[in-house]
Amino acid sequence: MSTNPAESSHTLSELLSQPQTWQNTLRKFESNELFDAILEQAKNRKEWLFVACGSSLYLATAAASSWTLMTGLRARAIPASEILLFPGAASLEASNVHAVLVSRSGSTSETVRAATVLSRENKIPTLGVTCTSPSPLADACDLTIALPEANEESMVMTRSFTSLLVLLQLLAARGAGRSEFPSALKAMAEHFAPQIHALAARMKAFVSEHTFADYVFLGQGPFYGIASEGALKVTEMSCSYSQVFHALEFRHGPKTIVGPETCLTFFLSQKGFEEESEVLAEMKGLGATTVAICNRANDLIRRSSDFLFELGADVPELALLAPFLVPAQLLGLFTSAKKGLNPDSPRNLSRVVILE
Ligand code: F1P
């Protein structure tokens, strides 16, 4: 791989360190008393409310969907600003809710204030999830899990996002008695580790061969949070215009924008494999340039994708969320470099949003 600004960046080295960071996270939380304390704190609670901002909100969205699919309990993700500005709309049944506040920095003002509102004003038990310790978030929450090993120099979240997601999936699996899930995550990380460098080289070549006006990310179920983060990564790192939709929703209007300069990235679930692959083929037929991310492809997907990433791991669907995000992170990074931008310091962006 020849050298360019992206390749000497913190963002790329931290991005490529993800499989190792996931393995370290799994080892650290293999048997953890804090998990038991959290599940004890939440035992009579019927709903999990995930609260965050920015990338952490999309992490919370994927975590909430994983939570419901794994535990059967109601779970949802909402922006911290909604707790502060429209608490009524959040319909917080205090007696039923357990709140999880996610923030890489642990300092984002909206998230810290939301923790205080939920804990003090609504008497809702709060769990902070962060990569920074100590932090104002930990001061505002009843319990806090910190994962400093996943923290990063890069301005945008990469390994912190996927590692905190893996951590929250581990906690859900513990709560649901899914004892097989930690080893499935371990198998996924071991399977993906030898693939990540070749994937980066292929994505760099793909970006050098294509120039796009629009980026669209498509996912269903737990992959919608991943698609949302994919869109944010391309916007944050390369100052490009990107959107996110549920894959089958794309037919209901947005497909008007399809053309060769529209890059459509599909995060193909196992559950909706047939239906989502049909949308991929239909959009390819309309002339879109397509990126397909899946566990195992079929001929239709191979024929309908300009860039294909197949993980090929024998793991349950929820273990696919973290590795599926990596191609989108790389798309953002190499597009940033192609535009002569520095992925380590995106325009107009601060690492933490602190409000007066
Ligand atoms: C949240 C966040 C980041 C975003 C930018 C500003 O930070 O919105 O997701 O990329 O850096 O802050 P945090 O609450 O997760 O620290």
Side-chain angles (χ1 to χ4, degrees):
M1 247 201 246
S2 63
T3 55
N4 71 27
E7 283 158 36
S8 55
S9 65
H10 291 297
T11 309
L12 180 60
S13 57
E14 287 155 356
L15 197 163
L16 294 173
S17 75
Q18 290 181 95
Q20 191 52 56
T21 311
W22 303 337
Q23 288 168 324
N24 298 346
T25 302
L26 293 168
R27 221 171 287 120
K28 179 175 178 178
F29 288 94
E30 223 143 33
S31 59
N32 188 288
E33 275 121 46
L34 183 52
F35 272 21
D36 301 331
I38 294 163
L39 294 170
E40 179 59 29
Q41 176 196 51
K43 80 167 178 283
N44 303 324
R45 304 278 155 168
K46 296 190 182 50
E47 179 185 355
W48 288 67
L49 181 72
F50 292 79
V51 177
C53 302
S55 278
S56 292
L57 174 61
Y58 302 136
L59 157 53
T61 305
S65 191
S66 299
W67 212 273
T68 298
L69 289 167
M70 231 175 317
T71 68
L73 288 173
R74 183 173 146 72
R76 57 185 163 130
I78 59 175
S81 51
E82 285 290 276
I83 297 286
L84 303 177
L85 303 179
F86 286 94
S91 69
L92 301 169
E93 288 165 49
S95 60
N96 264 341
V97 171
H98 184 266
V100 181
L101 296 108
V102 185
S103 171
R104 172 181 67 177
S105 62
S107 301
T108 295
S109 304
E110 294 150 87
T111 309
V112 174
R113 289 177 191 167
T116 308
V117 167
L118 291 166
S119 175
R120 309 253 167 84
E121 295 170 25
N122 294 274
K123 305 284 175 263
I124 289 174
T126 50
L127 168 66
V129 176
T130 180
C131 287
T132 313
S133 181
S135 72
L137 182 66
D139 300 340
C141 289
D142 303 312
L143 290 173
T144 295
I145 308 181
L147 190 61
E149 302 85 347
N151 212 341
E152 55 224 340
E153 298 287 324
S154 72
M155 178 83 77
V156 301
M157 292 177 81
T158 59
R159 70 176 180 202
S160 59
F161 182 104
T162 53
S163 304
L164 288 178
L165 176 59
V166 161
L167 173 63
L168 285 168
Q169 289 185 318
L170 266 183
L171 181 59
R174 174 80 66 85
R178 293 273 305 271
S179 54
E180 87 295 347
F181 195 73
S183 40
L185 285 171
K186 193 163 172 291
M188 171 279 288
E190 283 164 3
H191 180 85
F192 182 50
Q195 297 182 16
I196 196 166
H197 285 268
L199 170 62
R202 283 202 304 122
M203 185 55 82
K204 181 175 174 244
F206 176 74
V207 170
S208 67
E209 290 149 15
H210 296 82
T211 298
F212 298 114
D214 287 305
Y215 296 81
V216 177
F217 295 82
L218 302 159
Q220 299 271 166
F223 296 92
Y224 184 75
I226 300 301
S228 304
E229 174 62 3
L232 183 59
K233 283 283 93 58
V234 167
T235 297
E236 277 185 325
M237 284 197 264
S238 72
C239 304
S240 306
Y241 185 69
S242 65
Q243 302 170 80
V244 58
F245 299 94
H246 291 86
L248 273 68
E249 274 302 307
F250 193 66
R251 286 196 184 105
H252 300 276
K255 70 177 187 179
T256 54
I257 69 168
V258 166
E261 293 202 339
T262 309
C263 178
L264 297 185
T265 298
F266 287 78
F267 299 89
L268 297 166
S269 71
Q270 320 247 94
K271 187 101 179 29
F273 192 72
E274 297 309 319
E275 296 83 354
E276 295 162 33
S277 308
E278 280 157 16
V279 179
L280 168 69
E282 186 184 327
M283 297 313 144
K284 186 68 206 153
L286 292 177
T289 302
T290 55
V291 173
I293 301 168
C294 62
N295 196 23
R296 289 197 175 81
N298 58 18
D299 291 348
L300 178 69
I301 291 171
R302 284 196 187 87
R303 284 199 308 277
S304 311
S305 50
D306 298 287
F307 185 96
L308 172 61
F309 170 63
E310 274 186 280
L311 180 68
D314 296 324
V315 296
E317 178 147 52
L318 287 175
L320 302 174
L321 298 190
F324 272 25
L325 180 58
V326 177
Q329 295 169 333
L330 291 163
L331 178 62
L333 183 120
F334 289 120
T335 304
S336 156
K338 184 174 181 178
K339 287 183 164 185
L341 303 170
N342 176 357
D344 280 352
S345 56
R347 188 177 67 195
N348 303 337
L349 200 62
S350 60
R351 190 182 165 77
V352 187
V353 177
I354 302 291
L355 306 175
E356 291 312 312

